[in-house]
Amino acid sequence: MAVFVYGVYTTEIDSTRPKGTVCPNCEAVHQIGVHKVIDVIHLMYVPIIPTRIETFAYCNSCGYEFTFKRMNKSEKKVWNPFKSRKRVPIWYFSGPLILLFGMLYWGYSRYKNEELMLERLQNGNQQQIIEYQMEDGSFSTMKTVKINSDSVWLFYNTYQVQDYRDIDRINGENLYSLDTVKVGTEYIKELIHNGNVEMIYSQ
């Protein structure tokens, strides 16, 4: 049995048989059915977004079919009262909704992670390890020795790795420079805000 992971399917969202209709082909009365259909891009049959929304009428007496959007002005004036007014259910727009909620969740998660790192930086512990990404894309660490509201005194690690998963390989005590460097706390906060800091933890 074939399973279609993605594609387009057509579904009917409204079907009525309004009174007062006259078939323009065979002139049968009350035999016109009005249908509203949509073509939907799907992923595992979960609707992502509609690609076509169309209302058409079908005569049950002679089989004549016509679409509302192809009518001329005079025909539309006659047939518009019978056109389906039903709105497309919101779940057929799952794609944009999932994308929106995903972006909101990503933004919230990033905000909470940034907040957590700032809290660790300012929790009173003077000796911490900051794992961060350098300008060239490699990763290294800084070891803080003193922190106040304006400045951070630290030792830079003299080594770096290309893959963050290897960061533990350069965390030895003897791998840091002997020169203390003073930077503004705003510099560290900017690294955190830009997503360059991977982790802050106490020694």
Side-chain angles (χ1 to χ4, degrees):
M1 177 177 164
V3 177
F4 298 96
V5 176
Y6 64 91
V8 178
Y9 66 77
T10 301
T11 185
E12 185 174 84
I13 61 172
D14 194 20
S15 178
T16 58
R17 195 168 172 177
K19 295 180 180 179
T21 59
V22 178
C23 177
N25 185 56
C26 69
E27 298 185 348
V29 181
H30 307 320
Q31 292 300 309
I32 297 291
V34 177
H35 309 270
K36 190 169 190 176
V37 297
I38 60 174
D39 292 341
V40 185
I41 295 175
H42 73 88
L43 181 64
M44 295 295 290
Y45 291 97
V46 175
I48 302 300
I49 193 169
T51 59
R52 178 183 69 100
I53 304 172
E54 189 168 61
T55 301
F56 69 92
Y58 177 82
C59 178
N60 294 295
S61 178
C62 69
Y64 180 73
E65 180 179 310
F66 54 94
T67 58
F68 282 76
K69 71 178 181 180
R70 295 195 183 116
M71 293 178 180
N72 58 41
K73 288 184 179 180
S74 59
E75 289 174 332
K76 284 182 178 178
K77 189 174 181 180
V78 174
W79 287 96
N80 268 342
F82 304 110
K83 187 176 181 179
S84 173
R85 309 295 174 186
K86 186 170 183 179
R87 295 180 181 275
V88 178
I90 190 70
W91 57 83
Y92 284 108
F93 295 89
S94 298
L97 290 174
I98 291 171
L99 181 62
L100 175 61
F101 283 117
M103 291 175 64
L104 290 173
Y105 178 76
W106 176 83
Y108 177 76
S109 298
R110 181 173 176 177
Y111 167 76
K112 293 301 291 184
N113 187 53
E114 183 177 328
E115 195 176 59
L116 178 61
M117 287 190 182
L118 288 173
E119 183 181 321
R120 288 176 178 170
L121 185 66
Q122 299 168 339
N123 67 359
N125 191 324
Q126 299 293 305
Q127 296 184 333
Q128 302 190 58
I129 300 295
I130 301 174
E131 298 177 351
Y132 70 105
Q133 186 173 26
M134 304 175 71
E135 291 184 2
D136 63 359
S138 60
F139 298 88
S140 191
T141 62
M142 298 179 275
K143 181 168 64 173
T144 65
V145 292
K146 183 180 178 182
I147 304 171
N148 63 26
S149 59
D150 300 318
S151 303
V152 178
W153 288 261
L154 50 83
F155 296 127
Y156 278 107
N157 197 317
T158 56
Y159 292 87
Q160 56 270 340
V161 292
Q162 296 303 312
D163 191 329
Y164 177 67
R165 291 172 296 184
D166 297 327
I167 198 75
D168 288 340
R169 294 169 52 190
I170 58 170
N171 259 344
E173 284 288 332
N174 59 339
L175 302 180
Y176 289 92
S177 67
L178 299 178
D179 298 322
T180 305
V181 178
K182 178 184 177 182
V183 298
T185 53
E186 291 302 317
Y187 167 72
I188 305 296
K189 290 179 180 179
E190 185 177 351
L191 286 178
I192 294 172
H193 180 71
N194 292 337
N196 295 107
V197 175
E198 300 288 341
M199 183 74 68
I200 296 178
Y201 56 91
S202 302
Q203 287 185 274

